Amino acid sequence: MRLFIDTGSVAEVEEISRWGVLAGATTNPSLLAKEHGDPGEIVRRICDLVGGPVSAEVVSTEPAAMVAEGRALRELHEHVTVKVPFDEAGLEATHTLTGEGIAVNMTLVFSANQAMLAAGAGATYVSCFMGRLDDISVDSGAVVAEIVECFRATGVTSEIIAASIRHPEHVITAASLGCEIATVPGKVLKQMLEHPLTAAGAERFRADWESRPEFGEWLRGLVEHSPASSKG
Ligand code: E4P
């Protein structure tokens, strides 16, 4: 499963893209509204940093206006995927945009029926919002499982994005159910790093190594004399 970052923050993408784990990003109007600066510049910068698909969302509610916004957003950067909210107008806009070869991420999908309609309209990606389902006491894992099952059974090629990820367990659920992508907030990506045994293990390795100061000398010498270290 590929990992996208769900954010409007360039600083967050700058930090986390250095880990080498990000395959793309998703923004939305709420995330971008929290940021300072030109939204187009933010989207472009995130595109450069992740080097993969970055969703930027239309906000109009009429199909023709959605299509116009989608075409304009696509012009921002070659990595832009147009994010279109699910409804009748969104399906129509998705059909038109994907017909023009523009990748669409159909968002705000909460059921397998909606997912099948999104795929039918040609959506490249279908985003199922796990956290928001859990918020209304609907089992998000069951809904995602149903979408995966429907897509696999009928040969649908739209990729499933597990979205509205609130904690690392959502990521594991999405991966084990077969979602192609999870779009994960920076805070949750950082939580995924953590395990007490990792920290304790690293501390123990350091302490044992430092108990032999001559080993430290040896390693520094090895680094200094390595032809690779002159590369900087
Ligand atoms: C997905 O593309 C959305 O941007 C996002 O996952 C929504 O998450 P939220 O429910 O935490 O706002």
Side-chain angles (χ1 to χ4, degrees):
M1 184 177 74
R2 300 181 331 265
L3 292 173
F4 287 7
I5 185 167
D6 193 29
T7 189
S9 162
V10 170
E12 200 169 52
V13 182
E14 273 170 353
E15 179 191 352
I16 294 177
S17 63
R18 287 198 287 268
W19 302 356
V21 303
L22 297 179
T26 50
T27 68
N28 66 39
S30 307
L31 290 169
L32 287 173
K34 290 187 207 159
E35 303 299 320
H36 297 290
D38 175 60
E41 276 313 305
I42 292 172
V43 169
R44 279 201 198 97
R45 184 78 186 111
I46 295 176
C47 285
D48 285 337
L49 285 165
V50 299
V54 175
S55 295
E57 188 161 339
V58 302
V59 292
S60 285
T61 52
E62 295 305 317
M66 288 169 136
V67 168
E69 286 177 4
R71 287 177 184 142
L73 288 168
R74 178 66 185 80
E75 290 298 312
L76 285 173
H77 195 285
E78 58 178 338
H79 290 324
V80 167
T81 290
V82 177
K83 210 187 212 189
V84 176
F86 182 89
D87 66 2
E88 288 179 45
L91 287 171
E92 193 176 327
T94 295
H95 184 61
T96 304
L97 288 166
T98 55
E100 294 175 8
I102 296 174
V104 169
N105 172 5
M106 181 137 254
T107 190
L108 292 170
V109 167
F110 294 95
S111 72
N113 279 315
Q114 290 181 333
M116 286 187 288
L117 289 169
T124 321
Y125 308 99
V126 175
S127 287
C128 179
F129 278 41
M130 298 186 75
R132 294 194 198 186
L133 280 166
D134 292 345
D135 290 345
I136 58 160
S137 303
V138 173
D139 178 355
S140 60
V143 174
V144 170
E146 209 166 38
I147 295 172
V148 173
E149 174 84 29
C150 289
F151 280 20
R152 302 296 177 264
T154 56
V156 165
T157 55
S158 307
E159 295 195 302
I160 301 163
I161 302 183
S164 189
I165 297 287
R166 301 280 169 76
H167 45 70
E169 206 54 41
H170 273 151
V171 182
I172 294 172
T173 302
S176 59
L177 290 172
C179 292
E180 282 82 7
I181 297 155
T183 188
V184 186
K187 181 182 156 204
V188 178
L189 286 164
K190 287 181 184 176
Q191 289 171 339
M192 289 167 69
L193 293 170
E194 302 302 332
H195 195 288
L197 291 178
T198 303
E203 187 47 46
R204 174 74 178 274
F205 286 150
R206 258 191 307 273
D208 288 345
W209 190 256
E210 279 163 14
S211 75
R212 299 291 303 270
E214 72 275 25
F215 282 12
E217 278 301 310
W218 166 78
L219 187 54
R220 275 188 290 280
L222 192 71
V223 172
E224 263 167 41
H225 297 107
S226 159
S229 56
S230 59
K231 288 183 190 155

